[in-house]
Amino acid sequence: MDSVFSNVDRAPEDPILGVTVAYNNDPSPAKLNLGVGAYRTEEGKPLVLDVVRRAEQQLVNDPSRVKEYIPIAGLADFNKLSAKLILGADSPAIQESRVATIQCLSGTGSLRVGAEFLKKHYHQCVIFIPKPTWGNHPKVFNLAGLSVEYYRYYDPATRGLDFQGLLEDLGAAPSGAIVLLHACAHNPTGVDPTSEQWAKIRQLIRSKSLLPFFDSAYQGFASGSLDTDAHSVRTFVADGGECLIAQSYAKNMGLYGERVGALSIVCKSADVASKVESQVKLVVRPMYSSPPIHGASIVATILKSSDMYNDWTIELKGMADRIISMRQQLFEALQAKGTPGDWSHIIKQIGMFTFTGLNKEQVAFMTKEYHIYMTSDGVLQENKHGRSQYEDGASPR
């Protein structure tokens, strides 16, 4: 019997999530998944932070808590504390009520809500995103109705930042264009601008009246310092200009499946911020009506307790330091094996991702011969397991 959906074609596997599908289908006991970016323990298991368990238990033990709908904008405490976390406690934008913050569905949802708002209320519909970038970025913005263009970012020759190309491409962008910026720990290259380079990027963006849209998915997870990883965002806010910021608590609190995030829009005045918030709510209402309560309650509980906050920063730094240490171990092991080529980019890059420089054929070889799974562009998730690929006897060829 024919279905009314018989004409529907099978969609291709997501290039990132498809790695996990292939990994799961591999019966080898020695297999290693370096695909989707999620922190793992030494035993290769998911980690729930101790402070998250404590906060969750505190919520469970509170008999006054109910499961009613929360407002369209989300939990007020969560929004206030999220803005404070990314912008800083002493931010003039917060003190002057120039920030509209909305609880969203993790980083992806924050980006999508922001993109939908811009499509409806901003005069430019083109967004420039780095090449390369997270694979979901162009899909999120295209589906929201924005036109996606690219600016140069990664230089394969140096395995570092193509800073001159970046400046040239943004300099040629039309006035008012939106520019997506990774706040820290660029995904997938792990290459970030220096403070001096950020200053020049900011000057160029402001001089061209471009609108920055930050994706902050790794605050505190890159360097181990919440303030250091928010530096790029705060320099843009400090000059009094406007910007958008998408935050995620998936990585830095390990709340992957709770889908907890926030969209903050920094405006010129409190009056404009109030109007902007009212319109963002109109984006959210027909999309998912209101956000979930549980994950945001965990975040708010941790952020408003000085003891829990301090414990969180300790656990967060522990994760970041371990990733940095694993980079060093991998680099030293490659050197010890006499692996051809310069691998110093592994310790120069930062965060969860290493752009190894391996090509598709080399990645396929690693999978076939050693059951090591990664995306075809050679991106290595440094922190996926306590062991790295060389510990299974493999080396890049």
Side-chain angles (χ1 to χ4, degrees), residues 13-302:
E13 287 281 2
D14 183 279
I16 298 175
L17 301 181
V19 173
T20 299
V21 173
Y23 167 83
N24 290 336
N25 291 333
D26 187 342
S28 171
K31 64 183 178 180
L32 190 62
N33 184 7
L34 301 173
V36 179
Y39 191 85
R40 293 291 184 264
T41 65
E42 290 287 345
E43 297 73 35
K45 303 296 184 182
L47 175 69
V48 179
L49 301 186
D50 290 340
V51 71
V52 167
R53 292 219 185 265
R54 282 167 48 207
E56 203 162 34
Q57 193 61 55
Q58 181 176 311
L59 294 169
V60 169
N61 292 341
D62 182 357
S64 68
R65 286 184 56 78
V66 294
K67 300 295 184 181
E68 290 290 302
Y69 294 122
I70 60 176
I72 296 172
L75 291 178
D77 277 353
F78 169 84
N79 290 338
K80 179 181 178 181
L81 293 163
S82 293
K84 178 181 174 182
L85 186 70
I86 189 65
L87 300 181
D90 58 351
S91 172
I94 293 177
Q95 294 169 357
E96 296 162 10
S97 301
R98 294 190 286 109
V99 186
T101 302
I102 302 286
Q103 179 190 334
C104 295
L105 305 181
S106 201
T108 306
S110 303
L111 291 164
R112 182 61 185 270
V113 170
E116 296 277 355
F117 168 78
L118 291 171
K119 173 62 177 175
K120 288 180 170 66
H121 299 284
Y122 188 59
H123 66 276
Q124 269 281 14
C125 289
V126 60
I127 182 167
F128 281 75
I129 65 177
K131 187 175 182 66
T133 191
W134 180 43
N136 220 17
H137 277 148
K139 300 171 189 175
V140 168
F141 295 120
N142 273 323
L143 286 173
L146 299 179
S147 174
V148 173
E149 299 287 347
Y150 290 88
Y151 62 89
R152 281 170 284 176
Y153 189 88
Y154 180 74
D155 183 355
T158 63
R159 293 174 189 152
L161 182 66
D162 183 357
F163 187 55
Q164 190 58 40
L166 180 154
L167 294 179
E168 289 175 4
D169 289 349
L170 293 186
S175 176
I178 309 158
V179 179
L180 179 74
L181 300 166
H182 295 230
C184 67
H186 179 272
N187 175 359
T189 69
V191 175
D192 286 351
T194 64
S195 294
E196 294 74 19
Q197 289 171 332
W198 270 120
K200 292 181 180 178
I201 293 169
R202 183 188 61 79
Q203 291 166 3
L204 173 61
I205 284 177
R206 295 309 191 199
S207 70
K208 292 273 299 182
S209 297
L210 305 177
L211 180 63
F213 193 158
F214 284 95
D215 186 353
S216 178
Y218 305 100
Q219 186 184 357
F221 205 83
S223 69
S225 166
L226 290 160
D227 292 330
T228 298
D229 292 348
H231 169 76
S232 60
V233 174
R234 293 178 185 177
T235 58
F236 275 78
V237 175
D239 69 11
E242 295 173 304
C243 65
L244 292 84
I245 308 138
Q247 286 173 268
S248 168
Y249 289 96
K251 308 301 192 297
N252 58 15
M253 282 198 186
L255 297 174
Y256 303 94
E258 298 291 355
R259 312 309 293 144
V260 194
L263 171 69
S264 288
I265 303 179
V266 180
C267 305
K268 285 285 191 179
S269 70
D271 180 57
V272 171
S274 177
K275 293 174 181 176
V276 164
E277 180 178 329
S278 73
Q279 290 294 338
V280 176
K281 289 182 193 177
L282 295 186
V283 172
V284 168
R285 177 60 170 154
M287 189 183 290
Y288 55 85
S289 197
S290 66
I293 190 171
H294 187 68
S297 296
I298 293 172
V299 173
T301 298
I302 292 170

